[in-house]
Amino acid sequence: MNTSLRASRVAIAGGALLAAVALTACGAASSGPGDGAAAGSSAASSSRPAGSGGAGSAPASAAGGAASAAAAAPTTSATTSTVTVPLGGPVPLGFAATSVTFVSPQEAFVLGTAPCAKAPCTSILRTLNRGASWRGLPAPVVPLATLSEATGPAVWGIRFANPSDGFVFGNGLWETTDGGERWSPAISPGSSIESLEVIDDQVLAITGGCVPGGGCAQQGTLSRRPLAGGAWHVVAPVSGRGAIATQARVAAVLDGDGVIVTANGGVSAVTQAGPCGTAGLYPAVSLAVTGPTGLAVLCAGNGAAGSVDKTVFVSDDLGAHWTETGSPARGGDPEGMSAGSASQFVVAAASGASMLYYSADGGARWSTAYYEGDGGLGFNDLGFTTPSDGVVVYGPAVSDDNVESRPGWLLLTSNGGASWQPDAF
């Protein structure tokens, strides 16, 4: 996932003050990050982030992947670009993250939810200093949900191509071209968007039919459209789908045991044979792009009592040939894999607990970089913005208003995944 300023501003004019206050209203026609009573978090851990607000305890670096609202006069970020960005409003109390996207090592957007007086309670935050401070932004007036439970319009993911152009997706698609100040419905490539990434000025999306409580169909579609807008075009059908992996202008997605690879945003693509079936192992469950010519695939199976066999294969020619490297620990069902480089890999897993496994030698040897004995709250959007700077959502919120009181933290790494620190909103 190529993918952080709580500014203490006092509005000079009454209109500017009212605009900032409007951003805290939840469920209003103009949309915005919701306010409401603070919500407690159910996951107790020694790594629990410090209280929300201010610089907090964010590490020195990190990565990654709606209707309009009246915002105060925009300001320009000197830390990321000269693009004018919305000033934003306060962070809603009790905010819990679901999805995250970084557009630079410093600037990120987070989709989540918070208790509010009027549903939907979907909220978006932005940071310009890698999580040292956060501001609330407008969000689509659509409830937060999960892919398998949504019964109507719902959202569960966010991706930005740059500080201005971004998407919120789920059962529908919403787009902004002004840094999240205004969101508009966009034409969706299909019913449920399971994964979306932007690369080479193309938007890639995997879609498929999903039934509440019944999961998603095995067959889906990988599609693309220009970032500037236009019609969607089918790249390839996909089966046994996972997240789209991107890095170094390469995008890849699992297609059963095979791997679909594109180096031009899906304008053309090739399907390579994957390593898991060829080696007589368990199915491929996750994929990472490790560099301009590098891929890694995680095979997993033979699960029992919260443990699963896991084996990693790597390729240095975009999937033409594969080499087995090693095996992360058996604990937990694999939820994703990402790589800051061809040598540093991270695998997320959860069952009775939630773990991040780390390798510093291309997958040969593994250690546990992060552990929460939480009953398996899991992770989302594991990714890297630079070889060192990475991010993942721990215990992501899965419903509007976060009625389950899931933690919804961001975990940041500045050493390629060797260690992770929670960031406070």
Side-chain angles (χ1 to χ4, degrees):
M1 176 187 68
N2 287 354
T3 21
S4 263
L5 210 117
R6 173 160 299 173
S8 301
R9 291 183 179 243
V10 177
I12 301 175
L17 176 60
L18 290 175
V21 172
L23 282 170
T24 69
C26 179
S30 60
S31 171
D35 65 350
S41 176
S42 62
S45 168
S46 59
S47 58
R48 183 182 184 87
S52 174
S57 57
S61 54
S68 63
T75 185
T76 300
S77 165
T79 61
T80 55
S81 70
T82 58
V83 174
T84 300
V85 297
L87 177 61
V91 175
L93 295 175
F95 178 85
T98 295
S99 180
V100 60
T101 176
F102 269 77
V103 297
S104 75
Q106 297 296 314
E107 185 170 0
F109 299 81
V110 177
L111 175 73
T113 187
C116 69
K118 182 181 178 182
C121 303
T122 304
S123 303
I124 292 176
L125 306 185
R126 183 197 67 229
T127 180
L128 300 176
N129 51 19
R130 200 174 180 268
S133 58
W134 296 87
R135 298 290 286 175
L137 293 177
V141 188
V142 183
L144 194 76
T146 60
L147 182 65
S148 60
E149 298 297 330
T151 57
V155 295
W156 47 73
I158 186 169
R159 292 292 184 270
F160 269 70
N162 52 55
S164 297
D165 302 310
F167 301 87
V168 167
F169 62 92
N171 281 345
L173 183 65
W174 290 261
E175 183 173 8
T176 181
T177 58
D178 57 11
E181 185 172 5
R182 299 173 183 84
W183 293 88
S184 301
I187 296 175
S188 174
S191 54
S192 297
I193 301 177
E194 303 176 39
S195 180
L196 185 146
E197 298 291 345
V198 184
I199 188 168
D200 270 357
D201 290 326
Q202 296 286 321
V203 185
L204 291 173
I206 297 177
T207 57
C210 301
V211 178
C216 301
Q218 283 298 303
Q219 192 70 25
T221 303
L222 175 65
S223 303
R224 69 167 178 89
R225 56 149 261 204
L227 175 60
W232 287 92
H233 304 275
V234 173
V235 176
V238 293
S239 61
R241 300 162 323 270
I244 302 168
T246 62
Q247 190 182 160
R249 299 187 65 185
V250 173
V253 62
L254 292 174
D255 177 24
D257 188 53
V259 179
I260 299 172
V261 184
T262 176
N264 55 15
V267 175
S268 62
V270 61
T271 300
Q272 304 280 23
C276 303
T278 303
L281 293 175
Y282 306 105
V285 296
S286 191
L287 170 70
V289 180
T290 63
T293 62
L295 300 174
V297 166
L298 176 65
C299 313
N302 194 30
S307 296
V308 178
D309 288 339
K310 308 175 185 70
T311 304
V312 173
F313 288 78
V314 298
S315 170
D316 60 7
D317 53 13
L318 291 180
H321 303 87
W322 297 92
T323 302
E324 181 178 344
T325 60
S327 298
R330 294 191 73 245
D333 298 320
E335 295 190 333
M337 176 172 63
S338 191
S341 67
S343 60
Q344 292 182 294
F345 297 173
V346 178
V347 168
S351 183
S354 300
M355 294 80 69
L356 294 175
Y357 298 120
Y358 168 75
S359 174
D361 55 8
R365 293 171 294 181
W366 294 82
S367 61
T368 301
Y370 187 84
Y371 179 92
E372 289 282 354
D374 54 12
L377 293 178
F379 302 94
N380 189 37
D381 282 352
L382 173 65
F384 285 84
T385 305
T386 73
S388 299
D389 301 329
V391 65
V392 69
V393 180
Y394 162 66
V398 296
S399 65
D400 204 49
D401 205 9
N402 193 24
V403 294
E404 301 85 0
S405 295
R406 293 171 62 89
W409 303 344
L410 287 192
L411 300 179
L412 303 177
T413 180
S414 57
N415 54 18
S419 62
W420 297 80
Q421 298 79 35
D423 179 72
F425 294 115

